[in-house]
Amino acid sequence: MATMHVELVSVERPLWSGEAVAVYARTPDGEIGVLPRHAPLLAALAPGWTVRIQPEGAAQLTFAVHGGFLSVREDGVSVLAEMAEAAADIDADRARRALAELGDETTDEAVAARERAWARLRAVGETV
């Protein structure tokens, strides 16, 4: 099976690097799936969503990604995130509490916090 090199990095640190058969992400225009030999592309990542990576021969990895870009080149895919967290590192109870505490606030900070909580809950498999 064909693979591509994929890297997911945040401002703080690299989170994952390796060979994968697919990458799935949400852009402002909708969900995108990237397979090996995909056409070059640069897209913003939609807030409040996840990036999923299907490594070669391993279980799918899911990350809550908070802002950034997806870059597809001939030599692979880079996900450049402002902040990102692996699903295994997410405290779903904390994300639910954060949503409850935000209530109906509409400040820019509240909207960003709500989108981070949604991404975290989506990453652990909860419907938001």
Side-chain angles (χ1 to χ4, degrees):
M1 182 176 279
T3 64
M4 59 193 162
H5 186 75
V6 176
E7 294 181 333
L8 189 150
V9 299
S10 73
V11 171
E12 295 106 13
R13 64 189 169 96
L15 281 107
W16 192 84
S17 179
E19 295 300 305
V21 296
V23 175
Y24 305 96
R26 177 74 59 127
T27 72
D29 294 323
E31 186 86 15
I32 184 172
V34 178
L35 302 174
R37 295 184 289 281
H38 192 287
L41 169 77
L42 179 63
L45 296 170
W49 292 91
T50 63
V51 169
R52 298 181 332 269
I53 300 171
Q54 181 60 61
E56 181 180 31
Q60 182 172 272
L61 303 169
T62 303
F63 298 87
V65 177
H66 316 294
F69 294 89
L70 172 79
S71 173
V72 180
R73 304 167 319 281
E74 280 187 29
D75 62 338
V77 176
S78 294
V79 179
L80 310 166
E82 291 175 27
M83 294 183 351
E85 304 165 85
D89 298 334
I90 292 171
D91 181 341
D93 290 333
R94 182 175 171 215
R96 280 189 228 97
R97 282 192 308 273
L99 278 177
E101 290 171 6
L102 287 167
D104 294 331
E105 278 190 61
T106 58
T107 64
D108 289 346
E109 295 82 14
V111 170
R114 187 173 294 108
E115 289 169 344
R116 286 191 300 272
W118 287 340
R120 289 175 177 126
L121 292 173
R122 286 179 174 127
V124 297
E126 293 192 20
T127 303
V128 179

